[in-house]
Amino acid sequence: MSAYVSAFELFSIGVGPSSSHTVGPMRAGRDFAARLRDSGDLDRVVRVSCALYGSLGATGIGHGTPDAVVAGLAGLDPETVDPSAVRGAWSDRPAGERLPLDGTRPIDFDTGDVMFEPRTRLPGHPNAMTLVARAEGGEVVSEETYYSVGGGFIRREGEAPRVQATPWPLRFDSAAELLALCDDRHRTIAEAARCNEEALRPEKEVAAGLDRIWDAMSTCVDAGLRAEGVLPGVLKVKRRAGQIRAQLENAAAAGGRELPGEWLGAYALAVNEENAAGGRVVTAPTNGAAGILPAVAMYWWRFLADSGLGAGNAVTPNGELVGSALLGFGDAVAAVSFEDEAAVAEANRRRGIRRFLLTATALGSLFKANASISGAEGGCQAEVGSACAMAAGGLTAVMGGTNGQIENAAEIAMEHHLGLTCDPVGGLVQIPCIERNAVAASTAVTAARLALRGDGSHFVSLDAVVETMRQTGIDMSHKYKETSEGGLAVNVIEC
């Protein structure tokens, strides 16, 4: 076995507001409907019910969980669905409207078929749900329990652990093993991740897939910066990213200096406001922490990529490749004939973003395997803390940092999120989640800067911090694990 998780699983394109409470339940509903189809039982089903347990039951309405379950039962895929088709699929469902199970089988369904059981916690995971399909007369056709384990990943009860058909060429279960592996093979962390990805798909497909992830992230940033109005839910939180964008643009137009740090915060707010509105986002590694990596990557793209800081591996205007081993995907870039500096700069940035994402993937895999990326399991340290560490490592990589400095940056970022609770006010991914992403993006940049000023050696290892995060999550009261039963959630008046 290996800790490594593919970038195309860790960074999945989906919908807001939550990877564990929206994307995961939607995938579970879709999987349940597909199993009924594949078993030949679909035409026997006349009704489906769903029980939401633990955290899903406690904050499911605020996270859009019932809407997601209904959309999934209808056969919709979170990666391709129009987000508007998910919003209101349960909450605004007209009385008597039939549900197209798996997209084809009309069945009776009403809002009461989704039941909330927040006080019941199944042993498999705090995010649990049971789906039951019945035939005429009430006969149970199928019953399945699913766990939404964070980041949009789901696990079906009784299902054997998934075994990777193609073993990863470069296997590691800890940061120490990863560093030793890279040292032995004279590879960067990004190159190690790239080698694993290419065991499953050709180099060009890996590059294109990473570009697709980045395009979805940057599109989300832009959408959030252009949006206005109030976010859905009882809190009536006003969007701020667009207003901040306008202020920064006006200041620049008036001859003021650029303010990269303030843009960094605006980028993070933009993504998490889009997420809170149920828009198209990329889990990174979750939706609640989805703004941190795109914000830090966009900060590098806009303010640092062409500054010469960490840009030593580049493509020259005549198409000559310099230092291809460090950034990867060199053959594909070197074959392009560039006619202008803008195209060269774009290609260099793209290659840097791939390195950023691959580095973050290797680090995120360690958190997922050895601790948790689920707020319902480990508190917000598991979501925002993990994302901050991944972003810090990614930024250090594209700034030319060594593997030791990358590990140091991730350790710094995670160490200072230990014990962070998950206590969303009103069960909505808005307060304190949106601002928390902006603060964590700034922390990621600070961690990278501190690591780059050192030589990679440090007292506390990343592995020690990951293990500490795991232990802290176990010790943490369930009140602070996405149930909205403690912290700000009970000390802030919702309306």
Side-chain angles (χ1 to χ4, degrees), residues 157-390:
E157 189 170 69
E159 188 174 40
R162 187 178 58 171
V163 178
Q164 179 63 52
T166 305
W168 301 119
L170 301 181
R171 305 162 73 83
F172 56 89
D173 290 313
S174 66
E177 289 182 10
L178 174 59
L179 291 175
L181 178 152
C182 291
D183 186 55
D184 289 344
R185 291 165 174 77
H186 306 289
R187 294 176 182 266
T188 65
I189 291 175
E191 287 174 331
R194 175 190 168 195
C195 180
N196 281 345
E197 297 295 343
E198 289 179 3
L200 300 181
R201 50 187 64 84
E203 175 186 349
K204 289 184 179 180
E205 288 186 19
V206 175
L210 294 172
D211 287 349
R212 186 165 58 252
I213 290 169
W214 170 242
D215 288 341
M217 286 180 170
S218 58
T219 297
C220 184
V221 170
D222 186 64
L225 289 175
R226 302 294 167 184
E228 299 178 350
V230 175
L231 296 172
V234 297
L235 301 180
K236 305 300 180 185
V237 173
K238 183 180 178 181
R239 285 180 179 259
R240 288 180 289 170
Q243 182 181 22
I244 294 173
R245 171 196 55 79
Q247 292 171 351
L248 293 174
E249 289 178 343
N250 290 339
R257 62 185 178 86
E258 285 194 305
L259 301 170
E262 295 202 37
W263 276 108
L264 173 68
Y267 298 149
L269 292 179
V271 172
N272 284 88
E273 286 173 357
E274 278 296 289
N275 178 64
R280 173 77 63 212
V281 295
V282 179
T283 58
T286 65
N287 283 26
I292 300 165
L293 273 96
V296 174
M298 184 65 77
Y299 168 81
W300 173 82
W301 177 285
R302 178 171 174 183
F303 297 105
L304 302 178
D306 299 328
S307 67
L309 298 174
N313 309 285
V315 182
T316 62
N318 65 3
E320 179 183 358
L321 187 67
V322 179
S324 63
L326 286 175
L327 286 178
F329 308 102
D331 294 340
V333 177
V336 177
S337 176
F338 297 108
E339 296 180 357
D340 56 61
E341 293 184 1
V344 173
E346 171 78 13
N348 286 333
R349 290 193 192 97
R350 286 269 173 190
R351 295 169 68 239
I353 289 295
R354 293 170 195 158
R355 186 181 186 189
F356 182 103
L357 292 174
L358 287 170
T359 303
T361 297
L363 297 170
S365 296
L366 295 172
F367 289 108
K368 186 177 187 302
N370 298 328
S372 177
I373 58 171
S374 168
E377 192 171 36
C380 200
Q381 59 171 359
E383 296 199 29
V384 165
S386 297
C388 183
M390 293 163 66

Side-chain angles (χ1 to χ4, degrees), residues 468-489:
T468 303
M469 190 257 274
R470 186 190 70 82
Q471 294 174 4
T472 303
I474 293 173
D475 293 340
M476 189 181 291
S477 168
H478 70 85
K479 294 191 301 182
Y480 304 111
K481 297 181 183 179
E482 212 166 359
T483 59
S484 291
E485 294 177 357
L488 283 177

Side-chain angles (χ1 to χ4, degrees), residues 12-15 23 26-27 30 75-86 212 280-281:
S12 61
I13 300 171
V15 295
V23 177
M26 187 173 175
R27 286 178 173 155
R30 189 169 188 262
L76 301 179
D77 185 340
E79 183 167 345
T80 58
V81 68
D82 181 344
S84 64
V86 182
R212 186 165 58 252
R280 173 77 63 212
V281 295

Side-chain angles (χ1 to χ4, degrees), residues 264 295-296 299 304 388 391-392 395 440-450 452:
L264 173 68
V296 174
Y299 168 81
L304 302 178
C388 183
L395 180 60
S442 179
T443 300
V445 173
T446 299
R449 287 174 174 164
L450 288 172
L452 286 165

Side-chain angles (χ1 to χ4, degrees), residues 99-113:
L99 172 67
L101 187 62
D102 196 44
T104 60
R105 168 69 174 168
I107 63 170
D108 293 330
F109 189 89
D110 60 45
T111 56
D113 289 319

